[in-house]
Amino acid sequence: MTQHATAVMTRGLRKRYGKDPALSGVDLDVPEGSVVLVVGPNGAGKTTLLKVLLDLLPSDGGEVQVLGRSPAREGERIRAGVGFLPEKMDFPFARMDVRTVLEFHARFRPTWDPSYAEQLAQALDLRMDRAWEKLSKGESRRAQVVAALAHRPPLLLLDEPTDGLDPLIRERVLSLLAEHLAETGATTLYCTHVLHEAQGMADRLLVLRTGTVRLDEGVEELRRTHLRVRLRPTAEGATPQVRPDFLVREEGRTDSEYRWVVRASDPQVREWAAGSGLEFVDAEAVSVADTALAYLTDGGTP
Amino acid sequence: MATPGRFHIDPDDPRPLYIQIMDEVRRSIVNGIMAPEQSLPSVRDLAGELRVNPNTVQQAYRELERDGVVFVRRGQGTYVSPDADTRGIRDRVLRELADRVLREAARSGVTRAELMAALDTHDDRSIEPSREDE
């Protein structure tokens, strides 16, 4: 493995809303240039994490570094160098047209490239002369995509980037993002519930649950270490009462077959099955989306 | 510019995406869509077309170069090798196809012999012409 610089680092990061913990000690190292798929149930802390990284919310403890800077001390500089696509964007200048809003946005971003902004807007069928308050949900999403990318920031924080877009524009946003990454190599935190659509973009997977990191690993590593196996109870074999440690998720179970996502090698599962009265049927690799799903729904510990 | 739809990949397919891209390039050489000396789409264009991480496309091209299927002209792009081992590429495509068919057969509880027999007696006319043949 080559040693990468770290674009985002957190240690023991904590944040509560009143009594409700949103982040409960998050340790994170995001290698420079990686695209991290951030998944988690609603309320897992994804949006809170992004906001703390940008100092849009103060943390309650722990350490944070974004592009080598501390958000609490240099929030403004971090925000100027990050492409942030928020989940919701309330704009106080609703009467302005899209072009004016983007020009205002550009003033705080010295690397803004107006011709790239035009190019993105055109690719997304976004009309620059529309009043911001008249935009549909999908149109304002497209305007936000332009706002997040046109200064070619070294770090992208994307919160549900395709939310509210029609299928055609969704594809176009993903294409533009892939091309953008090819040109800029930007580090990307990509929060989404739409796993199947986003999985091809990821080289890391981060699963957050109840404010803690459940999984943070490279996609290649996950592919090497996880399998989907099918097992069959033998006639004389009893149903195993013990959950093996390597079981991440039971995807399906009938009387005649169990389908499991496991963190184990083929021989490991075979050996366990033989000792547990189960017949090993077959094993196959697991897609990124299904791995994410397995860690979203698992009950046990790894 | 990349021709849209030249390559087809499936992120839900458990094979790694870079392997799928490699297979697609080999397949397009075997069925004549891509000829020797022809340029492949740029990494940027293909990543955009397939909506995948550009590093994945880069990795596929790198491995194809190592296998002698493509070569890189510095500063210009990636091209199908003029002396690509078409026999070998064809074998690879066949092996990959056999892999998939056999895996599917196993999943369906069908034996290899049954599958072979079904292939022998299969009426080709019932298969619709593939769009790639146009």
Side-chain angles (χ1 to χ4, degrees):
Chain A
M1 281 292 286
T2 39
Q3 207 63 42
H4 288 287
T6 303
V8 175
M9 186 279 291
T10 72
R11 290 290 176 271
L13 182 60
R14 282 178 288 116
K15 173 72 193 171
R16 338 175 130 259
Y17 298 111
K19 277 187 175 168
D20 298 329
L23 300 173
S24 314
V26 169
D27 295 345
L28 211 58
D29 289 285
V30 180
E32 219 168 67
S34 59
V35 179
V36 185
L37 200 61
V38 184
V39 306
N42 290 322
K46 303 186 296 287
T47 299
T48 303
L49 174 66
L50 298 191
K51 287 187 171 170
V52 168
L53 296 180
L54 289 167
D55 194 41
L56 297 173
L57 280 174
S59 77
D60 294 333
E63 219 184 310
V64 192
Q65 285 228 322
V66 179
L67 303 170
R69 299 175 194 281
S70 149
R73 281 194 297 275
E74 296 180 274
E76 202 159 320
R77 287 193 71 168
I78 290 174
R79 286 193 293 279
V82 171
F84 179 42
L85 189 64
E87 191 182 16
K88 290 192 208 102
M89 185 149 127
D90 302 318
F91 222 81
F93 318 103
R95 297 247 170 104
M96 293 181 180
D97 65 16
V98 172
R99 176 170 285 109
T100 313
V101 170
L102 288 177
E103 278 167 3
F104 178 77
H105 179 87
R107 261 190 254 165
F108 303 92
R109 288 157 182 85
T111 55
W112 186 266
D113 178 348
S115 68
Y116 187 37
E118 289 285 345
Q119 197 187 317
L120 289 165
Q122 217 164 49
L124 295 171
D125 285 335
L126 174 67
R127 279 179 46 196
M128 292 288 221
D129 57 355
R130 296 264 289 158
W132 192 275
E133 64 185 353
K134 298 269 172 60
L135 298 183
S136 68
K137 188 178 177 191
E139 283 172 315
S140 72
R141 205 73 193 138
R142 285 181 257 168
Q144 289 165 28
V145 170
V146 177
L149 299 184
H151 54 310
R152 295 196 177 84
L155 177 62
L156 296 175
L157 303 180
L158 311 177
D159 203 351
E160 299 287 353
T162 60
D163 189 35
L165 299 175
D166 71 54
L168 206 63
I169 298 289
R170 290 178 99 92
E171 290 201 343
R172 217 171 285 171
V173 165
L174 287 166
S175 291
L176 285 173
L177 182 59
E179 292 168 2
H180 183 86
L181 293 174
E183 280 164 14
T184 63
T187 310
T188 306
L189 293 187
Y190 186 134
C191 299
T192 187
H193 294 302
V194 195
L195 301 170
H196 290 273
E197 153 186 296
Q199 60 180 333
M201 303 289 290
D203 46 30
R204 284 186 82 75
L205 179 61
L206 174 69
V207 179
L208 287 177
R209 283 176 61 180
T210 58
T212 58
V213 175
R214 180 67 188 86
L215 183 81
D216 177 18
E217 239 173 298
V219 162
E220 293 274 320
E221 174 76 3
L222 290 170
R223 191 181 290 282
R224 279 197 308 103
T225 50
H226 288 72
L227 288 173
R228 171 180 292 112
V229 294
R230 289 193 301 154
L231 303 166
R232 205 172 276 159
T234 49
E236 66 277 18
T239 311
Q241 296 304 312
V242 186
R243 239 181 100 98
D245 288 344
F246 56 63
L247 173 59
V248 182
R249 181 192 183 204
E250 183 163 80
E251 288 185 327
R253 171 185 276 212
T254 64
D255 287 342
S256 60
E257 189 177 291
Y258 307 160
R259 201 171 68 242
W260 287 354
V261 171
V262 298
R263 184 178 197 121
S265 66
D266 190 300
Q268 234 177 313
V269 181
R270 280 174 195 274
E271 194 190 320
W272 177 85
S276 308
L278 290 167
E279 181 197 341
F280 182 96
V281 182
D282 59 13
E284 63 172 15
V286 191
S287 69
V288 176
D290 287 345
T291 306
L293 214 53
Y295 280 92
L296 282 172
T297 51
D298 70 321
T301 46
Chain B
M1 273 297 281
T3 319
R6 180 161 19 178
F7 299 130
H8 174 79
I9 58 155
D10 176 8
D12 287 328
D13 186 321
R15 288 177 303 153
L17 288 173
Y18 79 93
I19 300 270
Q20 292 188 46
I21 294 171
M22 289 174 71
D23 286 342
E24 284 298 287
V25 171
R26 286 202 191 89
R27 191 168 306 145
S28 64
I29 294 171
V30 167
N31 66 20
I33 288 176
M34 300 207 53
E37 304 267 11
Q38 196 176 334
S39 72
L40 272 72
S42 70
V43 168
R44 173 190 177 278
D45 285 352
L46 190 55
E49 185 185 318
L50 301 176
R51 298 182 290 282
V52 298
N53 192 307
N55 292 332
T56 306
V57 178
Q58 189 75 59
Q59 187 182 2
Y61 281 11
R62 211 167 39 229
E63 303 266 329
L64 284 167
E65 188 185 9
R66 223 189 44 191
D67 291 352
V69 176
V70 304
F71 72 101
V72 175
R73 281 200 187 109
R74 292 278 155 241
Q76 292 185 55
T78 305
Y79 298 79
V80 177
S81 294
D83 51 354
D85 170 13
T86 44
R87 184 69 246 166
I89 293 171
R90 203 179 179 83
D91 285 348
R92 274 294 284 271
V93 169
L94 273 170
R95 225 175 328 149
E96 196 267 327
L97 186 59
D99 262 5
R100 274 192 298 160
V101 173
L102 286 172
R103 202 174 313 129
E104 201 50 47
R107 282 172 59 85
S108 312
V110 169
T111 68
R112 190 186 179 114
E114 283 174 311
L115 176 65
M116 303 286 275
L119 286 174
D120 276 340
T121 56
H122 193 275
D123 179 3
D124 289 345
R125 281 167 301 181
S126 66
I127 301 175
E128 289 191 20
S130 129
R131 280 201 14 240
E132 290 172 345
D133 296 338
E134 280 165 18

